[in-house]
Amino acid sequence: MSHPSRSSTHPTSSCEGGQNSSTTNPFSRDETHYELDFQQRQESSHTGDIGNTECDCDRLLMLPTPDEHGHNVKLAVQRPWKPCIGPWLREIGACILVIASFATTLAILVIEDGKPLEQWSWRIGPTAVVAFISAITKSSLLFAVSEVIGQLKWHHYEGRTRPVTHLQTFDNAGRGPLGAIVLLWNYHLLSPRGALTAIVVVASLFLDPFMQLVFAFPPQSRLDASGTGTFQTTQVYDPMGNIYDPHHYGPLSLDSKLQYAIMAAAGGQTTPTELSCSTGNCTWPSVTTLGVCSSCTNVTLRLNTTCPQPTSADLLQCEYAFPYGLSLQGVAFTPRGSNSRHLTRWNSTANSVVTPFESLTKWIPIALLTDFNAIQIPTAPDAHNDQDYLNILGRPIGWQCTFTFCEKVYENVTTVNGAVTLPTPTEEILYPRANITPFGDMQMFYVLGKDPNSSSGTNYTINSMDYFSLTQYFLEFFSYSYIADGVSGIDDTSWYGDYFVVPNLGFELGDAPDLGKTMQSMAAGMTEVIRNSRNGTANTAQVFQTKVYIEVRWGWLALPLTVMVISVLLVASMVIQRNRSNLPVWKNSMLAVLLYSVAGWRPTTGVLKGPSALKNEAQGILVTLSRDQEELEFARK
């Protein structure tokens, strides 16, 4: 913008960006103040005393100094060797605040990274603290960048012809992301620094979410030296310290906990794993214990099934010959006074293993508890005649199973938040090695090992009376038949002359969907009881404490750090350019627009009402900002 005449207008500026305007402009300061200020500047220029000026921009609009011949000459500007930072003190201060606040954030992140969240002592969380500091960083950064954009719009016209509408574009860019996007899209080639500042303004939208994403709070388990955890194992099974008496043993003498484990597994239940862990998070890398193992083979395809013609209208019968000569029967009969058939659902027979009168090593080659044969016959809800029942009886499921004492090795037993994970153990069958009587004739123990021909390795010791009682329990347990509607059949007496006392769970075993898995569950339950018996040894665990930790994800700091560095460099570039340019530091001040009119332009339509009218009027106007120190104005081209 220009003035009506150079003699009546002497604009000045200061390093702080303040404006001294013309006396003819209706928005100018009063005449007296201007003339006094102008007179002082002229006296300084004529006397050569330029020390009272704040920086070069104060001398741009001084009148030429007459030489000794009376000709006006321009006053030579002696630039200081340091940049004039006066007009940019606030922006420099904002940059210092940006750097300080970002450094504070970094210090908090470095100190708190990897620490438990529970040790944070402030009432507000670390995320809120960083968000508060981030807000200071962002506000200071945008203040400095908006002032840079404001100054760049004046540099955009310095010595160049540009559309006057570019002023509005730069002004909008300093107000928010939408204006910055317009500047970046339209003028990124005309003003590279302006495009860079626009990028900073747009990127500032993402500063807050990026700073929030710096934090993560994962739960982590770490070793806790103060915690305790035990998993019991045993090499000895002597639950009650029974005295050796070959005439007083049997199912009723068996440990009640072991009986419960057997019956629970038959009913489809599992015996819970017993261990202790003070924190709920423990690990046992490897534990070895005495246990019970089972092995079942489905021999259905090897059964020889024969169903002879019925000799009675009330009885249908089939016989199932197993390999090695053993056989079982299945029937469908009609009880007296009934009109319905009753079908065998389960039938099994177990072999006698050992007697208490002989050495274990003379009877069996392995530490066998029982072996039995069994058949399962499915239900017959749709059977209506004899042929239907014969068809069902002709499709049995045959099994051969064994139970033995064995060594079990569990690798990596864990409990996480109280939930126990017991891996499938590796199993090795044990063999009888010797009989020992450590207390004379008071007690007798069987010694078992993995190698029957060597005494090396771990020895496992079992009270002979408990061994006998367990084998007799299994002998009765797997020597039952069960027929639908509660009809069961057994031999009247056991092999040693007493009546059977073990409950008949044929109705449960007959319904087992996979008898092999049921027997494995039974063996696992018995192992739990044996390893937790009174002779057990506690194995110490690696105890972990699960806590929520502060984790800093440093990668999310890339954008905030980049934006901060670019902003500081932009302010630095403006300070340096201030020392190389005659252009005053006006930044976002609107006084420059008021005080420097566009020479040669008058509104074509009178008073311009509204933004659209202003924009339409300015569409075709190209202006340049003169570089002449004596004639600083906007000139229409």
Side-chain angles (χ1 to χ4, degrees):
M1 300 176 187
S2 65
H3 306 278
S5 65
R6 186 75 180 101
S7 60
S8 61
T9 306
H10 306 284
T12 64
S13 65
S14 67
C15 281
E16 284 75 16
Q19 314 298 332
N20 298 327
S21 60
S22 104
T23 58
T24 60
N25 193 297
F27 300 100
S28 65
R29 297 173 293 183
D30 65 71
E31 197 80 20
T32 303
H33 181 275
Y34 173 80
E35 293 297 337
L36 179 59
D37 181 66
F38 179 73
Q39 183 179 3
Q40 291 173 349
R41 293 174 181 269
Q42 292 307 310
E43 289 175 357
S44 299
S45 66
H46 286 289
T47 60
D49 179 14
I50 62 175
N52 62 346
T53 59
E54 296 184 18
C55 56
D56 295 343
C57 59
D58 290 334
R59 308 186 207 114
L60 291 176
L61 304 180
M62 292 180 181
L63 290 180
T65 304
D67 61 9
E68 57 184 0
H69 304 291
H71 297 96
N72 291 338
V73 295
K74 295 180 180 179
L75 182 65
V77 177
Q78 299 179 2
R79 299 187 181 279
W81 66 275
K82 292 183 178 180
C84 181
I85 64 174
W88 295 97
L89 283 177
R90 290 185 301 172
E91 290 73 16
I92 293 173
C95 289
I96 293 174
L97 184 58
V98 168
I99 296 173
S101 58
F102 192 80
T104 302
T105 301
L106 286 179
I108 293 175
L109 297 179
V110 170
I111 293 173
E112 298 300 328
D113 187 22
K115 291 186 177 180
L117 182 60
E118 64 182 19
Q119 60 83 42
W120 182 267
S121 58
W122 294 9
R123 291 188 176 181
I124 58 176
T127 304
V129 171
V130 170
F132 176 77
I133 300 175
S134 174
I136 298 175
T137 304
K138 181 178 177 181
S139 300
S140 304
L141 182 147
L142 289 178
F143 166 74
V145 170
S146 67
E147 293 298 308
V148 170
I149 294 176
Q151 183 62 22
L152 284 175
K153 70 172 173 283
W154 307 118
H155 286 285
H156 186 65
Y157 289 95
E158 184 182 14
R160 305 178 185 88
T161 299
R162 308 288 195 200
V164 72
T165 54
H166 287 193
L167 280 173
Q168 186 63 49
T169 302
F170 273 88
D171 189 64
N172 290 340
R175 297 177 183 272
L178 183 59
I181 292 174
V182 173
L183 173 62
L184 180 63
W185 181 261
N186 293 326
Y187 309 133
H188 59 278
L189 296 178
L190 296 177
S191 179
R193 278 190 298 177
L196 196 57
T197 56
I199 291 174
V200 171
V201 173
V202 174
S204 66
L205 286 173
F206 304 99
L207 291 182
D208 289 336
F210 269 63
M211 292 304 294
Q212 296 289 327
L213 290 170
V214 166
F215 278 114
F217 302 97
Q220 297 180 10
S221 293
R222 299 187 181 181
L223 283 173
D224 184 1
S226 63
T228 59
T230 58
F231 183 92
Q232 191 159 306
T233 59
T234 188
Q235 297 178 6
V236 178
Y237 182 59
D238 183 21
M240 296 173 286
N242 288 324
I243 302 298
Y244 176 71
D245 185 352
H247 301 289
H248 295 85
Y249 73 98
L252 295 179
S253 299
L254 186 65
D255 180 13
S256 60
K257 293 181 179 179
L258 209 57
Q259 295 185 50
Y260 169 80
I262 294 172
M263 289 187 286
Q269 302 178 17
T270 58
T271 302
T273 303
E274 293 186 25
L275 52 80
S276 66
C277 182
S278 60
T279 64
N281 296 277
C282 294
T283 298
W284 291 264
S286 178
V287 289
T288 303
T289 187
L290 173 67
V292 174
C293 295
S294 71
S295 175
C296 284
T297 303
N298 189 319
V299 295
T300 301
L301 298 179
R302 300 170 61 187
L303 290 178
N304 184 9
T305 303
T306 57
C307 299
Q309 291 295 323
T311 59
S312 169
D314 296 332
L315 179 65
L316 302 175
Q317 181 174 330
C318 290
E319 186 167 335
Y320 315 103
F322 284 77
Y324 313 114
L326 295 174
S327 64
L328 292 172
Q329 292 181 343
V331 299
F333 75 98
T334 305
R336 185 177 302 175
S338 175
N339 296 324
S340 61
R341 294 280 188 183
H342 296 263
L343 187 69
T344 297
R345 297 296 319 287
W346 167 267
N347 197 4
S348 63
T349 183
N351 298 314
S352 175
V353 174
V354 66
T355 70
F357 304 103
E358 295 288 341
S359 169
L360 185 66
T361 57
K362 294 181 179 180
W363 278 82
I364 52 177
I366 61 174
L368 186 67
L369 293 173
T370 190
D371 68 77
F372 68 91
N373 296 340
I375 58 167
Q376 293 175 295
I377 298 177
T379 58
D382 299 326
H384 301 291
N385 53 50
D386 290 352
Q387 189 59 48
D388 292 339
Y389 282 102
L390 285 174
N391 291 336
I392 294 171
L393 288 173
R395 298 194 301 271
I397 302 174
W399 296 92
Q400 286 184 332
C401 300
T402 60
F403 280 85
T404 62
F405 277 115
C406 63
E407 177 188 84
K408 289 190 174 184
V409 180
Y410 296 91
E411 300 289 347
N412 200 33
V413 179
T414 60
T415 172
V416 179
N417 297 328
V420 178
T421 299
L422 188 67
T424 301
T426 57
E427 302 174 342
E428 287 195 50
I429 294 176
L430 298 178
Y431 298 85
R433 283 183 172 175
N435 297 343
I436 59 174
T437 56
F439 307 106
D441 294 334
M442 296 296 293
Q443 285 185 305
M444 184 172 73
F445 293 90
Y446 291 148
V447 179
L448 310 178
K450 292 188 293 183
D451 186 354
N453 300 317
S454 173
S455 60
S456 62
T458 304
N459 286 328
Y460 296 94
T461 306
I462 302 172
N463 188 305
S464 61
M465 301 307 295
D466 294 297
Y467 198 115
F468 300 148
S469 296
L470 181 55
T471 58
Q472 182 60 31
Y473 188 95
F474 273 141
L475 178 63
E476 295 190 10
F477 191 84
F478 292 114
S479 294
Y480 279 111
S481 65
Y482 177 79
I483 302 175
D485 297 327
V487 180
S488 62
I490 59 171
D491 294 333
D492 290 338
T493 61
S494 65
W495 68 274
Y496 60 92
D498 295 329
Y499 289 101
F500 276 19
V501 294
V502 176
N504 184 352
L505 296 185
F507 64 100
E508 298 284 1
L509 297 176
D511 286 335
D514 187 335
L515 187 66
K517 290 184 177 180
T518 300
M519 297 300 103
Q520 287 180 354
S521 176
M522 189 176 294
M526 296 172 67
T527 300
E528 278 297 308
V529 174
I530 291 173
R531 73 173 184 84
N532 287 288
S533 61
R534 70 187 185 110
N535 305 110
T537 301
N539 293 265
T540 304
Q542 294 177 342
V543 182
F544 297 86
Q545 182 71 44
T546 299
K547 296 181 181 179
V548 176
Y549 284 81
I550 299 174
E551 179 183 307
V552 177
R553 298 180 288 187
W554 297 101
W556 292 103
L557 289 176
L559 177 65
L561 179 61
T562 302
V563 171
M564 181 195 73
V565 171
I566 293 175
S567 302
V568 172
L569 291 178
L570 285 171
V571 173
S573 71
M574 299 308 296
V575 174
I576 294 172
Q577 182 163 352
R578 173 65 196 89
N579 198 45
R580 299 176 180 175
S581 173
N582 292 328
L583 190 64
V585 181
W586 289 331
K587 293 184 278 192
N588 285 317
S589 175
M590 297 304 297
L591 295 178
V593 180
L594 295 173
L595 298 179
Y596 293 91
S597 60
V598 178
W601 174 79
R602 288 277 185 264
T604 59
T605 58
V607 178
L608 300 176
K609 297 181 178 180
S612 59
L614 287 171
K615 184 176 181 179
N616 293 333
E617 183 68 27
Q619 284 292 338
I621 300 175
L622 301 177
V623 297
T624 184
L625 186 60
S626 173
R627 289 180 174 176
D628 193 343
Q629 296 182 6
E630 299 181 12
E631 198 67 32
L632 190 62
E633 64 179 4
F634 286 103
R636 182 173 183 178
K637 300 296 182 179

